[in-house]
Amino acid sequence: MSQAISAKTTISNETSARIRTAVMVDNIVKYLLLGCAGLMTVIVMAIIIFVAQKGTLTFNDISLADFFFSTEWSPDKNKFGGLPFIIGSLQVTILSILLATPPALACSIFFAKIAPKKIKSFLRPAVDLYVAVPSIVYGYIGITVFIPFFRKTFDVSGGFGLIPAVCILSVMILPTIITLSEDAINSVPKSLEEASIALGATRLQTIYKVILPSATSGIISSIILAMARAIGETMAVQMVIGNAPIIATGLFVPTSTLTSNIVVEMGNAPFHSTWNNALFLMAFILLLISLGIILAIRYIASKGAFHDAR
C-alpha cells in the first residue's frame, strides 16, 4: 500500500515539474516575443523621428509654402520646391494601380476558381517568380524594350516619361495583388458558393455576386500592399521616368518622384546643407503618404466589410 502511494506521489511530482517547466517556457517565449515587438517598435519610431528631425530643418532656410507649393527645384539657387516630386509619386502610384488591378484580379479569380490543376501548377510558380526579379532588372528591361517601343510607336522624342514608369510598376506589383487576392478568394466559405449554385446561379454569377463581395476586405488589403510598393519603388522608376523636376502634363512628359529624386541627388548633397535636409524632408513625406494610404484604405475596407456582413 505504501509503495502504491509512493509511486503516485512520484508521478504527481513529475507531472507538477513538467507543468512548471512548460509554464516557465511559455513565459520566456511570451516575454521574448514581447521584447522583439517592443524593439521593432523602437527602431521604427527612431527612424521616423530621425528623418522628421532632419527634414524639418529645411524650414530654417526656406518657408513651408516654398517647399510644398513651389515647382522650382534648383539647389544651386537655394530653391527647393518639392511639389513636382509629390505629384509625380502620386501620379505613378495611382496610374499603376489602375492599370494593374483589373488583370491581377482576373488572374486571381482564374487561379482560385477556374484554372485546372495542371495549368495552375504551371502558371502559379511563374507568377511567384516575378517577385524574385530585382527592380533594376525591370528598369533595364524598361530602357531596352519599353522606351524604344514608345519612341517608335508614338513618335515621341526620348520615350522617357510617366507612362514607361507606370507600365514597369504595373508589372512589378502584379504578383502582390494576384497572390493576396487569390488567398482572399480561397478563404471565402465553400458553403456560400455551394448555396449560390444550388439556388441556380451560374459560376460567373457566383464569383461576381457572392465570392468577390465576400473577399473584398482581402482584395483591398492586397491593393494596399501594392500601393505601398509602387510609391516606394526607386531604381526601376528612376531609370525610365526621365528625372526632370517638373509636373507631368502628359504621359510622355519626363518627371520625377520622391524616391527617384532622392536616389539621384543624395550622393551630391552635403550632409548638413539645406539641400540634404530637403531630401530628408522628402523621405519623411514619403513615409506620411504611405501611412495615410494605409489608414485610408483600411478604413474603407472596414466599412466595406461591415456592409457586406449586413
Side-chain angles (χ1 to χ4, degrees):
M1 184 69 178
S2 61
Q3 291 179 349
I5 295 175
S6 177
K8 290 182 179 180
T9 303
T10 303
I11 294 173
S12 176
N13 291 336
E14 291 178 354
T15 304
S16 299
R18 285 197 297 267
I19 293 174
R20 287 194 299 270
T21 302
V23 171
M24 182 178 65
V25 172
D26 287 345
N27 288 333
I28 291 174
V29 173
K30 180 179 71 173
Y31 289 119
L32 179 62
L33 295 176
L34 182 61
C36 291
L39 178 61
M40 291 302 300
T41 302
V42 170
I43 292 174
V44 172
M45 292 302 300
I47 292 174
I48 294 175
I49 291 172
F50 174 75
V51 173
Q53 287 179 340
K54 292 293 295 181
T56 52
L57 291 176
T58 307
F59 302 124
N60 293 337
D61 301 301
I62 64 173
S63 67
L64 189 144
D66 287 338
F67 182 85
F68 285 101
F69 299 104
S70 174
T71 58
E72 183 179 359
W73 181 270
S74 300
D76 55 332
K77 299 178 181 178
N78 204 39
K79 300 290 186 179
F80 300 99
L83 185 61
F85 311 111
I86 297 173
I87 294 179
S89 293
L90 295 177
Q91 286 176 326
V92 170
T93 301
I94 293 172
L95 291 177
S96 62
I97 289 295
L98 292 177
L99 185 61
T101 297
L105 188 56
C107 287
S108 64
I109 294 171
F110 177 75
F111 287 143
K113 295 299 178 182
I114 299 175
K117 289 185 178 180
K118 290 184 178 180
I119 296 179
K120 183 178 179 180
S121 63
F122 172 74
L123 294 179
R124 196 64 181 80
V127 172
D128 294 335
L129 186 62
Y130 281 110
V131 181
V133 178
S135 60
I136 195 168
V137 174
Y138 284 108
Y140 186 71
I141 293 174
I143 289 178
T144 57
V145 177
F146 282 79
I147 298 300
F149 170 77
F150 288 127
R151 186 187 301 132
K152 293 178 182 179
T153 304
F154 297 97
D155 193 23
V156 292
S157 60
F160 295 91
L162 191 62
I163 192 63
V166 169
C167 292
I168 291 294
L169 272 182
S170 299
V171 175
M172 294 179 69
I173 65 179
L174 278 175
T176 301
I177 302 178
I178 291 174
T179 301
L180 297 179
S181 295
E182 182 185 354
D183 292 340
I185 292 172
N186 285 329
S187 66
V188 175
K190 200 74 175 177
S191 58
L192 294 178
E193 183 179 354
E194 293 172 349
S196 176
I197 294 175
L199 291 173
T202 64
R203 181 162 58 173
L204 290 180
Q205 289 175 331
T206 300
I207 291 172
Y208 177 70
K209 295 185 178 181
V210 177
I211 296 177
L212 289 183
S214 300
T216 297
S217 186
I219 293 173
I220 292 179
S221 297
S222 71
I223 296 174
I224 292 171
L225 294 178
M227 292 178 71
R229 180 175 186 186
I231 201 168
E233 180 54 45
T234 305
M235 291 307 301
V237 173
Q238 185 267 333
M239 295 173 71
V240 299
I241 202 169
N243 302 301
I246 58 176
I247 298 175
T249 55
L251 295 178
F252 294 101
V253 177
T255 184
S256 188
T257 64
L258 293 168
T259 53
S260 64
N261 190 62
I262 290 172
V263 75
V264 167
E265 301 192 4
M266 65 180 179
N268 301 319
F271 187 67
H272 293 291
S273 64
T274 306
W275 187 3
N276 183 261
N277 293 334
L279 296 180
F280 271 105
L281 180 59
M282 293 168 67
F284 182 59
I285 292 171
L286 187 62
L287 289 174
L288 293 180
I289 291 175
S290 300
L291 179 62
I293 290 174
I294 291 173
L295 293 178
I297 300 298
R298 283 187 181 276
Y299 175 78
I300 295 172
S302 66
K303 286 292 185 180
F306 173 75
H307 289 299
D308 291 340
R310 291 184 63 186

